[in-house]
Amino acid sequence: MTSNLGPSIITLITLFISLTPTLIKSDEGIDVFLPISLNLTVLTDPFSISAASHDFGNITDENPGAVLCPSSTTEVARLLRFANGGFSYNGGSTGPSPTFKVAARGQGHSLRGQASAPGGVVVNMACLAKAAKPAAVVISADGTYADVAAGTMWVDVLKAAGERGVSPVSWTDYLYLSIGGTLSNAGIGGQTFRHGPQISNVHELDVITGKGEMMTCSPKLNPELFYGVLGGLGQFGIITRARIALDHAPTRVKWSRILYSDFSSFKRDQERLISMTNDLGVDFLEGQLMMSNGFVDTSFFPLSDQTRVASLVNDHRIIYVLEVAKYYDRTTLPIIDQVIDMLTRTLGFAPGFMFVQDVPYFDFLNRVRNEEDKLRSLGLWEVPHPWLNIFVPGSRIIDFHDGVINGLLLNQTSTTGVTLFYPTNRNKWNNRMSTMTPDEDVFYVIGFLQSAGGSQNWQELENLNDKVIQFCENSGIKIKEYLMHYTRKEDWVKHFGPKWDDFLRKKIMFDPKRLLSPGQDIFN
Ligand code: FAD
């Protein structure tokens, strides 16, 4: 999270800090001074250190030695060149300085300290976005792309593009994540089946490699770096600018939640709808589970229907919620209801259980913000989040459903949080990028988004995650984890499979001293 201190206090702290050399820890645990002559805007006050030490997961706590709040990309490049130990001064003594770790931090919405740099330097990318000239988001003259400072949040891209009547096409469910943070993972959501993940919708990047070199890359220019960095978990360089594809922005959305009591109908309809990637199909598709052993959130539905929705869940123990959206604007207004009717007429949902809201495009994309506000007001946002996100091959989703959802989840005395369950198309992903997916045309995105609160501790919830992974392993279901955190090298090698050698080769090429994003625990 970024600092809430007023600008004048920050200026004073910065001034004070800039007059004293900053002490951080080298890879070998030796004290290293960041010399004043490096002219870096570093913060070491307890508030800045504490803010950079934890993340949304609320499970890990790793103090950096300092936080860099850069006002230019050259500051980041200078830091990285010094971190490589190439300078001839070391806190007053001669000889090359020891190396130390550096991690870019976007919004710190990682789950297990992935954006941390224990003892080293965390680079607050929001500072760079604030200092971006002429602006953090610059829309091209023809409105086909935006050049965006990587520390910018997606919500701000949406706002800036919206003023020009254009919009990115691929979104995460939550918009208060940074461009650099989601591009380092994949950036997936309900538009992925149609447009691919966010990493499939980038034309060009500016990156400062682990060696401190500033490089521009694209599918044609330095493609190894371009494809490596997309989904690269921050391992090869710090993204400072991304050129994001834009398209015409709709103004409104018909947003539906459609309830199923029968899994095979739910699966069949989800897969049929994602196979329609032309203009006639839905623009957004996700799905989630409502279970009688969890909190049944009926707030989406009209007040008059909430009781019967809750009864449906109680009667069946589990209800599958198909969530789809169709965008429209003034030109398509006359036909939108017919289109929705055509798309939903043949679906096999529980009769009478289709609900539609008509909302502005911005409100639809920003829908999770309301959930955040609700949870914050209940003190349930800043709690541990032992989330498990996995991609399950489409050919095994019935086995997965029977074993994990019926066998494990429904047999728990209680469940917490949201369970996401929806398919997507692999042909919208580019296998040259670093993110790993199952090797099948259709795979499912499953998210167990659990929150520990009250008497429940996160380790208990983590047991469920372990059981899910164990079940998949025992049943030979070849899942890929997303937003994962492994601590053993063999798990990373297994995760990357045939791409591991290439991943390692790129690490040696772009970050040979293994300085970047140590919180991912891949090369420590
Ligand atoms: P951080 O946590 O700050 O960083 C993540 C990693 O990226 C770290 O390793 C960091 O070092 C690296 N990094 C950050 N910035 C840069 C950069 N500029 N250059 C290079 N490396 C960098 N994900 C989805 O795909 N779809 C969703 O729908 C979705 N919903 C979410 C909802 C919530 C409420 C939360 C908390 C997370 C969600 N996520 C989702 C996960 C999210 O995409 C990742 O956690 C993402 O990393 C968060 O972005 P961030 O800016 O907070 O990254």
Side-chain angles (χ1 to χ4, degrees):
M1 310 293 149
T2 49
S3 162
N4 284 328
L5 289 178
S8 53
I9 301 178
I10 289 181
T11 314
L12 274 175
I13 293 170
T14 310
L15 217 132
F16 171 74
I17 299 295
S18 63
L19 294 175
T20 44
T22 304
L23 189 65
I24 53 173
K25 283 274 178 232
S26 78
D27 287 347
E28 299 78 25
I30 311 167
D31 290 343
V32 185
F33 285 103
L34 283 186
I36 294 166
S37 56
L38 274 180
N39 199 16
L40 300 175
T41 322
V42 283
L43 302 171
T44 53
D45 62 284
F47 185 87
S48 303
I49 296 294
S50 158
S53 70
H54 59 262
D55 57 23
F56 177 80
N58 250 310
I59 288 172
T60 58
D61 209 358
E62 298 281 7
N63 279 358
V67 176
L68 177 70
C69 182
S71 54
S72 70
T73 50
T74 52
E75 245 185 89
V76 180
R78 256 196 328 269
L79 172 80
L80 276 164
R81 285 201 294 272
F82 182 68
N84 272 272
F87 282 46
S88 61
Y89 42 76
N90 168 22
S93 64
T94 52
S97 37
T99 58
F100 56 87
K101 303 288 190 219
V102 176
R105 179 182 169 99
Q107 286 296 307
H109 278 95
S110 289
L111 300 169
R112 291 294 179 116
Q114 284 95 334
S116 66
V121 179
V122 164
V123 181
N124 182 342
M125 298 304 292
C127 296
L128 210 48
K130 256 186 226 141
K133 300 255 167 15
V137 185
V138 178
I139 312 290
S140 65
D142 63 1
T144 58
Y145 64 82
D147 278 319
V148 185
T152 311
M153 291 186 292
W154 282 95
V155 68
D156 293 323
V157 184
L158 176 62
K159 285 178 188 164
E163 285 172 14
R164 291 274 307 275
V166 287
S167 167
V169 293
S170 182
W171 295 97
T172 50
D173 295 341
Y174 180 62
L175 306 183
Y176 297 76
L177 309 169
S178 78
I179 308 299
T182 69
L183 295 185
S184 298
N185 287 293
I188 53 170
Q191 296 86 357
T192 303
F193 78 91
R194 173 182 274 280
H195 297 288
Q198 290 177 329
I199 51 171
S200 295
N201 292 281
V202 178
H203 297 312
E204 188 181 276
L205 299 169
D206 282 344
V207 175
I208 304 173
T209 68
K211 293 193 275 191
E213 294 167 340
M214 298 168 79
M215 292 173 79
T216 298
C217 57
S218 70
K220 295 230 166 84
L221 183 70
N222 301 311
E224 292 237 281
L225 182 62
F226 181 74
Y227 290 121
V229 159
L230 293 170
L233 306 174
Q235 294 306 303
F236 311 119
I238 295 185
I239 306 167
T240 56
R241 176 189 64 100
R243 180 165 287 182
I244 313 279
L246 302 176
D247 204 346
H248 164 75
T251 51
R252 294 196 69 85
V253 177
K254 293 277 185 187
W255 173 24
S256 312
R257 288 198 177 159
I258 306 173
L259 311 189
Y260 289 72
S261 54
D262 166 41
F263 176 67
S264 56
S265 308
F266 172 68
K267 170 190 174 309
R268 185 200 58 220
D269 287 351
Q270 277 195 325
E271 291 186 13
R272 189 158 61 85
L273 287 169
I274 66 152
S275 71
M276 296 168 68
T277 50
N278 59 17
D279 286 350
L280 292 175
V282 295
D283 292 300
F284 168 101
L285 182 142
E286 289 195 6
Q288 47 181 278
L289 311 181
M290 289 169 96
M291 285 173 287
S292 58
N293 60 356
F295 169 65
V296 178
D297 181 2
T298 55
S299 57
F300 178 89
F301 311 106
L303 211 54
S304 53
D305 291 300
Q306 291 182 357
T307 311
R308 68 187 186 100
V309 169
S311 306
L312 190 75
V313 178
N314 263 327
D315 292 349
H316 292 273
R317 290 182 69 217
I318 181 164
I319 287 297
Y320 308 90
V321 184
L322 169 66
E323 183 163 31
V324 287
K326 187 76 190 162
Y327 304 157
Y328 72 101
D329 52 25
R330 216 171 333 138
T331 52
T332 43
L333 172 67
I335 54 160
I336 185 66
D337 288 331
Q338 271 167 274
V339 174
I340 301 288
D341 181 54
M342 186 271 296
L343 282 167
T344 54
R345 200 184 302 152
T346 56
L347 300 182
F349 56 92
F353 284 94
M354 173 174 160
F355 303 93
V356 187
Q357 288 191 13
D358 190 328
V359 292
Y361 180 61
F362 180 88
D363 293 1
F364 170 69
L365 292 178
N366 198 30
R367 62 200 178 279
V368 175
R369 186 62 155 185
N370 292 336
E371 301 305 314
E372 175 181 358
D373 290 343
K374 264 192 251 167
L375 291 169
R376 276 191 191 281
S377 70
L378 296 169
L380 293 174
W381 184 257
E382 286 176 7
V383 296
H385 296 105
W387 286 7
L388 175 68
N389 291 280
I390 51 178
F391 299 154
V392 179
S395 66
R396 300 297 307 275
I397 198 65
I398 294 176
D399 300 326
F400 179 86
H401 170 264
D402 292 350
V404 172
I405 308 300
N406 280 348
L408 290 173
L409 230 61
L410 279 179
N411 284 329
Q412 304 266 113
T413 44
S414 67
T415 55
T416 92
V418 173
T419 304
L420 297 175
F421 199 117
Y422 62 92
T424 199
N425 294 315
R426 186 165 181 262
N427 64 4
K428 302 290 175 186
W429 296 64
N430 185 330
N431 199 35
R432 292 181 71 186
M433 295 172 184
S434 296
T435 314
M436 295 305 299
T437 68
D439 195 10
E440 284 193 15
D441 292 346
V442 170
F443 64 87
Y444 276 70
V445 175
I446 310 287
F448 298 104
L449 312 184
Q450 308 189 88
S451 308
S455 59
Q456 223 160 9
N457 67 33
W458 66 265
Q459 286 96 341
E460 281 170 31
L461 298 177
E462 183 85 331
N463 283 342
L464 176 71
N465 299 342
D466 294 343
K467 284 182 194 159
V468 171
I469 290 171
Q470 199 56 54
F471 172 84
C472 293
E473 228 162 82
N474 295 346
S475 318
I477 302 177
K478 294 195 167 57
I479 58 166
K480 286 291 172 202
E481 281 193 51
Y482 178 58
L483 308 172
M484 60 279 156
H485 184 239
Y486 299 123
T487 50
R488 299 180 318 165
K489 184 178 170 197
E490 59 258 43
D491 290 329
W492 283 111
V493 173
K494 185 173 166 213
H495 173 77
F496 284 108
K499 283 198 208 167
W500 170 253
D501 288 345
D502 202 43
F503 200 80
L504 182 61
R505 190 178 55 78
K506 285 179 179 164
K507 186 72 175 174
I508 294 165
M509 191 185 299
F510 297 116
D511 181 25
K513 302 263 172 84
R514 304 178 176 207
L515 308 180
L516 288 173
S517 288
Q520 298 279 3
D521 263 336
I522 306 176
F523 295 106
N524 295 348

